[in-house]
Amino acid sequence: MSEFIYQGCKTQSLIGGKWINAYSGETIDVEDPATEEIITSIPRCGVEEVNEAVRVARLAFESATWSRMRPIDRGRLLETIARKIEDHADELAMLESIDTGKPLAHAKMLDIPSTIEVFRYMGGWCSKMHGETLPVSFDGREYHAYTRRDPVGVVGTITPWNYPLAIGAWKIASALAAGCTVVMKPAELTSLSTLRLAELCLEAGLPEGVLNVVTGYGHEVGKALALHPGVNKIAFTGSTAVGKQIAEYSLGNMKRVTLELGGKSPSVVFEDADLERVGLGAALAVFFNSGQICFAASRLLVQEKVYDKVVEAVAEVAKSFKLGNGRDADTMLGPLVSRKQQERVLGYCASGVEQGAELVTGGKRHGDKGYFVEPTVFASTNPSMKIVQEEIFGPVVSIMPFKDMDDALKLANDSVYGLAANVWTKDINKAHKMAARLEAGSVWINCHGIIDAAAPFGGFKQSGWGREVSAEGLYAYTETKAVCALLD
Ligand code: NAD
């Protein structure tokens, strides 16, 4: 074991408050993507463990301790979890950095605070989720009619490897606030922070069985969870291809399904933008977290007059980023999460060159240890190229020129995805006209990636179904019930 300095890390699955190995005894190796060393292993669970986790989650859902907990106490419990995470922020950040490869400083600055905040935010909702009274006409008799928001039931969550803790927290904080119980399936590459979070939830006083974590592969644990007739909802974040499978698996018992999927988000730079800010802003919008972000702005559309200047500025920033081990203080970009991902991204770089894009910088592996890829800038790209249409999920940007607003919108909306977009301009009219016409779930003006528990997050088109966080995201963990009483 290398510098795996985290003490007491949980490496077992959690079912009904008990820490367990896979029933088969099989494990999955956990690798540090910066060093390629195996640091530990997690259980390779399967259908049996999923069945058991769903069974205990159902019992917990039906138990009076959870379902009839006073809303104010449920809120206080979520706040206690937030404080527990705060108390263990450094170790959680370290765990996230080792497991994903991301810079420790970034985990401390973003992943952990957003995890804490979503528990705090959702905790506040527990005592504020209410229905409405309904002015029914029907047959003229007197009725008292109202809606209730009931928890959807047992929720299965399936999450990816890029922001394991933060994305997992969005789902459990919302599910717990709504009064649901949860079976989580973290990504097999990055399960450690989810296991530790579950341990902290228990320490905070969450009743046993309310939150369960079953580790393992997607085609085994994830599939079993999505097919399970005892699961009422699946909250999935991952690729569009797997999201479509989840939708099919869920049909059997008509599960509620929310899907946060892939993206190919555009940055749109107008000639009147503050160009001093655009170089760094557009570069960070695609390269942050080594491009492994669903809303990475991997298509950069630049108005003709300032095109050359912006290409040059973004390439300069890309070249200036220090790549390295996430635990080194000056690292800006860590490795990609796995060899498979590194090879996939390098394959896209090769295809860009083959299809005639101009490689301005990058395009190669960095170093000979770890899954690093240089930040890569392609200019002179066009919508017929694979690098422009497909989600790469790595540090690669494709830059294209545009003439005017209509041209920019045509290019920006020319994608099967619709997760996010940003617009750079000093013209407030142009900015809001663009925001209205962009086909994207989030639009950022003169900034990028402002992800907040109060703002609904999700995609248009093949970027998903539904929204996470905010009131809308919370209500996706509830069923609306209409109640009508005849008043004699
Ligand atoms: P992935 O779809 O391969 O895996 C996501 C999760 O699904 C993992 O836990 C995996 O084990 C599981 N899974 C895989 N096959 C499965 C199956 N047949 N049945 C059930 N579960 C299965 O995605 P990834 O490679 O881990 O993550 C990258 C993708 O996630 C990118 O496409 C990215 O855009 C997307 N993503 C989206 C968001 C968002 O909020 N929209 C956020 C982060 C990542």
Side-chain angles (χ1 to χ4, degrees):
M1 265 188 220
S2 62
E3 52 163 317
F4 191 53
I5 56 171
Y6 172 63
Q7 300 294 313
C9 167
K10 276 288 168 205
T11 52
Q12 288 179 300
S13 289
L14 177 68
I15 300 182
K18 311 274 175 308
W19 295 97
I20 59 135
N21 296 321
Y23 298 163
S24 66
E26 286 187 62
T27 56
I28 300 172
D29 285 342
V30 177
E31 196 182 16
D32 177 342
T35 62
E36 303 182 28
E37 284 176 71
I38 304 299
I39 50 172
T40 184
S41 65
I42 52 164
R44 176 182 176 176
C45 295
V47 178
E48 301 283 297
E49 292 88 335
V50 169
N51 289 343
E52 179 57 10
V54 174
R55 188 185 72 78
V56 299
R58 172 65 54 194
L59 285 178
F61 180 66
E62 285 164 3
S63 82
T65 33
W66 186 240
S67 61
R68 290 205 281 280
M69 183 179 272
R70 293 191 322 145
I72 209 88
D73 292 338
R74 194 191 302 287
R76 189 160 48 193
L77 182 53
L78 267 74
E79 171 61 26
T80 309
I81 295 173
R83 290 209 186 133
K84 274 267 169 201
I85 301 167
E86 230 162 22
D87 290 346
H88 294 84
D90 286 351
E91 90 190 45
L92 283 164
M94 177 62 82
L95 209 48
E96 206 68 326
S97 171
I98 293 172
D99 217 5
T100 63
K102 68 178 61 190
L104 178 62
H106 296 181
K108 284 187 182 175
M109 181 180 78
L110 273 178
D111 302 51
I112 309 303
S114 76
T115 301
I116 295 165
E117 278 163 20
V118 77
F119 276 99
R120 207 152 260 162
Y121 174 87
M122 286 300 171
W125 269 107
C126 294
S127 52
K128 294 164 197 72
M129 261 185 293
H130 54 73
E132 294 174 327
T133 51
L134 309 172
V136 292
S137 301
F138 198 60
D139 56 5
R141 287 188 292 172
E142 200 176 343
Y143 295 93
H144 174 49
Y146 59 94
T147 55
R148 298 170 45 92
R149 289 198 178 271
D150 290 345
V152 73
V154 175
V155 173
T157 72
I158 303 175
T159 43
W161 40 257
N162 59 340
Y163 282 86
L165 191 65
I167 292 175
W170 275 17
K171 297 182 193 318
I172 40 174
S174 313
L176 298 181
C180 300
T181 56
V182 182
V183 180
M184 297 187 79
K185 206 278 308 163
E188 56 274 23
L189 292 171
T190 57
S191 296
L192 299 182
S193 57
T194 305
L195 292 169
R196 181 63 176 135
L197 174 63
E199 190 180 24
L200 293 175
C201 289
L202 286 182
E203 285 175 18
L206 194 69
E208 291 181 355
V210 170
L211 175 63
N212 307 276
V213 184
V214 183
T215 56
Y217 291 116
H219 65 281
E220 296 175 344
V221 173
K223 182 175 175 181
L225 199 53
L227 282 170
H228 201 295
V231 173
N232 301 101
K233 170 186 165 112
I234 289 285
F236 173 81
T237 298
S239 61
T240 295
V242 175
K244 288 179 184 179
Q245 286 180 296
I246 299 287
E248 279 181 27
Y249 300 151
S250 300
L251 269 178
N253 65 332
M254 300 286 282
K255 286 181 188 64
R256 278 58 184 135
V257 179
T258 44
L259 302 172
E260 300 295 334
L261 307 177
K264 193 75 193 173
S265 301
S267 279
V268 184
V269 179
F270 285 96
E271 62 189 29
D272 63 0
D274 178 351
L275 294 186
E276 297 294 310
R277 290 166 61 194
V278 164
L280 182 61
L284 284 175
V286 61
F287 296 131
F288 197 78
N289 211 40
S290 299
Q292 302 166 114
I293 298 192
C294 50
F295 53 82
S298 51
R299 294 182 296 145
L300 174 52
L301 316 180
V302 187
Q303 200 158 15
E304 284 170 343
K305 202 168 148 196
V306 294
Y307 177 80
D308 289 339
K309 214 168 165 182
V310 171
V311 171
E312 195 185 324
V314 170
E316 282 312 307
V317 177
K319 284 187 234 170
S320 75
F321 284 145
K322 164 99 174 32
L323 276 68
N325 187 310
R327 269 77 74 213
D328 296 341
D330 56 348
T331 292
M332 182 60 201
L333 302 181
L336 301 189
V337 77
S338 64
R339 180 175 305 285
K340 187 172 155 209
Q341 192 62 14
Q342 183 190 41
E343 284 170 358
R344 191 170 167 271
V345 172
L346 291 174
Y348 274 109
C349 292
S351 108
V353 173
E354 272 161 34
Q355 290 194 304
E358 178 199 344
L359 180 63
V360 183
T361 184
K364 297 191 297 299
R365 178 178 184 179
H366 169 84
D368 53 11
K369 205 61 175 160
Y371 306 126
F372 296 92
V373 173
E374 294 174 344
T376 302
V377 176
F378 280 110
S380 309
T381 62
N382 66 62
S384 72
M385 295 175 176
K386 257 173 72 169
I387 54 167
V388 174
Q389 287 302 337
E390 296 180 17
E391 183 183 45
I392 299 175
F393 222 58
V396 182
V397 67
S398 302
I399 314 186
M400 281 168 279
F402 70 83
K403 286 191 182 57
D404 52 23
M405 196 195 290
D406 284 342
D407 193 24
L409 277 164
K410 199 162 157 248
L411 283 171
N413 290 337
D414 179 16
S415 171
V416 297
Y417 297 111
L419 192 57
N422 68 52
V423 183
W424 299 85
T425 176
K426 286 184 193 150
D427 180 343
I428 191 169
N429 300 304
K430 206 185 280 173
H432 290 293
K433 279 185 183 170
M434 286 293 290
R437 290 161 68 188
L438 281 162
E439 295 166 357
S442 297
V443 177
W444 295 297
I445 297 170
N446 294 321
C447 58
H448 184 80
I450 311 305
I451 300 290
D452 191 280
F457 184 77
F460 282 33
K461 301 192 276 188
Q462 293 190 35
S463 287
W465 285 349
R467 296 292 179 268
E468 293 258 14
V469 292
S470 75
E472 191 174 340
L474 171 65
Y475 290 156
Y477 290 81
T478 66
E479 293 279 10
T480 307
K481 183 184 284 168
V483 182
C484 193
L486 174 62
L487 305 182
D488 279 330

